[in-house]
Amino acid sequence: MSNCQLENNEKITIRHPDDFHHHCRDGPATASVLKHAYPRFRRCLMMPNLNPPVTTTKLALEYRERILSAMKSNGQDPAMFQPLMTLYLTDKTTPEEIKKAAVLKNSDGTSTIVSCKYYPAGATTNSDFGVTDIKKLYPTLEAMQEVGMMLCIHSEVTHADIFDREPVFIEEIMKPLVEDFKTLKITMEHISTKEAVDYVLNKAPSNVRASITPQHLIYNRNHMLVGGIRPHLYCLPILKAEPHRVALVGAATSGSPKFFLGTDSAPHPTYAKQSGCGCAGIFSAHCAVEIYAEVFDEAGHLDRLEDFCSSFGADHYGIPRNTDTMTLEKKSWTVPKTYEFGDDTVTPLKAGEEVKWTIL
């Protein structure tokens, strides 16, 4: 049953959202990130591309404890927020490691480690330990299929032009993978092209679904490049041309259960973005739900916001939907130019700009 209540397109109450793609970082920065994620999400799927990466069950459990400790340092209630853990796949990840991770349960009976992340080696931040050849992982993928563990994919190759990497990945990797593992649950994370929309919506089986970020819904590559390079809009997958953005908005607001919220909120210190070789990633945890509300409102489908933010992702991961609610109001606020990020600062999405919706 939906909890969505819409008041004249000016106020909406929805089931509390989850974020199925979140970078919480490690060390002092984690508490800073949680200050933004905690009020907006009941659960976040924590990405494992730390340095060193979270490659084993033991490392995932240790990382989870550090996240919970950071919450406590903020005075946040662990009962109100659950970190969902992910293993970083390498060429050496074994079926035995998958089976070890799969049996771990939280006190409510849900899985502690819910997914494994496939990073093509060298494709994005801290992916150098990633997979060099998907075929090397076939025994491990068979174990994942057997225990029902989700495969999360950074859906890009590294040998194609940076604007073409996702479509090439679909042809070279996704289609054979789906054919070889017909019941493996798969999430194509942060899709960024009309080709990916078409593949997930019209060609992939129901066990293949996709998450969509706020930045890929509101920006195209012109926003990043025209009039000078804007390093804080550089992310991977890179922003694409306007027809791709339009296709993504259409997919997100369509009401199709194949698309759901995954912010890929990925903070880096401001100095690391504004450098001679700036790193990829956009920090959106502070306003992601509000941006999604703005996109759905402008598309005339605010009534579909709850399913995208709070239902379809949980259903895909086999996790019970949240029962508490969040209310947003069409009331503008201005994003600060920086936020605290451990001992540094982070420049957030929409820094110094207006966001049209507010969480009450």
Side-chain angles (χ1 to χ4, degrees):
M1 180 181 294
S2 173
N3 288 321
C4 181
Q5 299 176 32
L6 185 59
E7 299 179 26
N8 299 319
N9 287 334
E10 296 294 323
K11 186 181 291 187
I12 185 170
T13 298
I14 62 172
R15 190 186 305 274
H16 215 102
D18 298 312
D19 184 0
F20 285 98
H21 190 146
H22 201 91
H23 294 270
C24 205
R25 302 310 188 204
D26 205 5
T30 297
S32 302
V33 173
L34 287 168
K35 289 177 182 178
H36 303 281
Y38 178 89
R40 290 169 174 82
F41 304 108
R42 281 292 168 260
R43 294 167 293 209
C44 284
L45 185 65
M46 300 302 183
M47 292 295 102
N49 57 333
L50 306 183
N51 191 10
V54 181
T55 55
T56 67
T57 302
K58 179 177 182 292
L59 290 174
L61 294 177
E62 291 172 351
Y63 184 32
R64 183 176 185 272
E65 286 305 309
R66 294 197 298 275
I67 293 170
L68 294 175
S69 177
M71 289 176 59
K72 292 174 184 176
S73 73
N74 285 342
Q76 296 165 337
D77 183 0
M80 299 297 290
F81 181 91
Q82 188 176 74
L84 306 174
M85 307 313 295
T86 307
L87 295 186
Y88 184 117
L89 292 173
T90 73
D91 290 348
K92 298 180 180 180
T93 305
T94 65
E96 290 71 28
E97 193 66 47
I98 300 303
K99 293 173 184 178
K100 183 191 301 185
V103 299
L104 298 176
K105 302 293 181 182
N106 299 316
S107 58
D108 62 359
T110 59
S111 296
T112 304
I113 299 174
V114 302
S115 64
C116 293
K117 182 65 177 276
Y118 166 42
Y119 292 104
T124 189
T125 304
N126 291 343
S127 63
D128 290 344
F129 297 94
V131 178
T132 62
D133 181 354
I134 190 71
K135 292 292 181 69
K136 294 180 178 180
L137 273 186
Y138 267 33
T140 301
L141 296 177
E142 288 174 1
M144 291 177 61
Q145 182 170 251
E146 179 183 337
V147 301
M149 185 171 287
M150 184 72 67
L151 174 63
C152 297
I153 299 180
H154 182 104
S155 309
E156 293 188 293
V157 297
T158 57
H159 61 268
D161 182 275
I162 195 167
F163 291 105
D164 298 328
R165 289 179 174 183
E166 190 172 87
V168 174
F169 183 93
I170 291 169
E171 294 300 320
E172 294 185 357
I173 307 294
M174 275 302 300
K175 289 182 177 180
L177 177 66
V178 169
E179 182 63 29
D180 291 340
F181 295 92
K182 297 186 185 302
T183 62
L184 178 63
K185 295 194 295 183
I186 299 175
T187 298
M188 291 181 66
E189 297 191 313
H190 49 45
I191 61 170
S192 62
T193 60
K194 60 183 181 180
E195 288 88 353
V197 168
D198 178 62
Y199 174 71
V200 173
L201 186 61
N202 299 316
K203 299 170 184 175
S206 61
N207 53 301
V208 178
R209 304 190 181 190
S211 63
I212 303 177
T213 76
Q215 62 262 26
H216 289 103
L217 292 175
I218 62 174
Y219 295 127
N220 62 42
R221 63 191 183 189
N222 285 343
H223 293 100
M224 180 180 61
L225 297 171
V226 173
I229 297 174
R230 294 168 176 81
H232 297 289
L233 292 184
Y234 173 54
C235 59
L236 292 172
I238 200 165
L239 298 172
K240 306 299 195 300
E242 179 65 3
H244 298 287
R245 187 196 69 81
V246 171
L248 291 167
V249 171
T253 63
S254 67
S256 169
K258 287 196 167 188
F259 305 102
F260 56 89
L261 186 157
T263 67
D264 192 18
S265 180
H268 294 279
T270 296
Y271 73 83
K273 294 287 291 180
Q274 297 174 184
S275 69
C277 186
C279 47
I282 294 176
F283 178 58
S284 64
H286 62 291
C287 70
V289 178
E290 298 94 318
I291 292 294
Y292 286 120
E294 186 174 320
V295 169
F296 277 71
D297 183 27
E298 292 179 354
H301 293 302
L302 200 56
D303 59 315
R304 298 175 181 173
L305 179 68
E306 179 182 86
D307 282 338
F308 178 84
C309 292
S310 316
S311 301
F312 294 154
D315 295 348
H316 182 47
Y317 278 81
I319 298 170
R321 297 178 179 183
N322 297 316
T323 56
D324 63 325
T325 60
M326 167 189 287
T327 299
L328 299 100
E329 183 178 10
K330 198 171 186 178
K331 180 180 179 182
S332 296
W333 58 286
T334 301
V335 177
K337 292 186 177 180
T338 62
Y339 283 114
E340 175 189 89
F341 184 55
D343 298 327
D344 297 298
T345 63
V346 59
T347 299
L349 178 69
K350 305 280 279 188
E353 299 179 26
E354 181 183 272
V355 173
K356 296 178 181 177
W357 284 80
T358 301
I359 293 174
L360 298 182

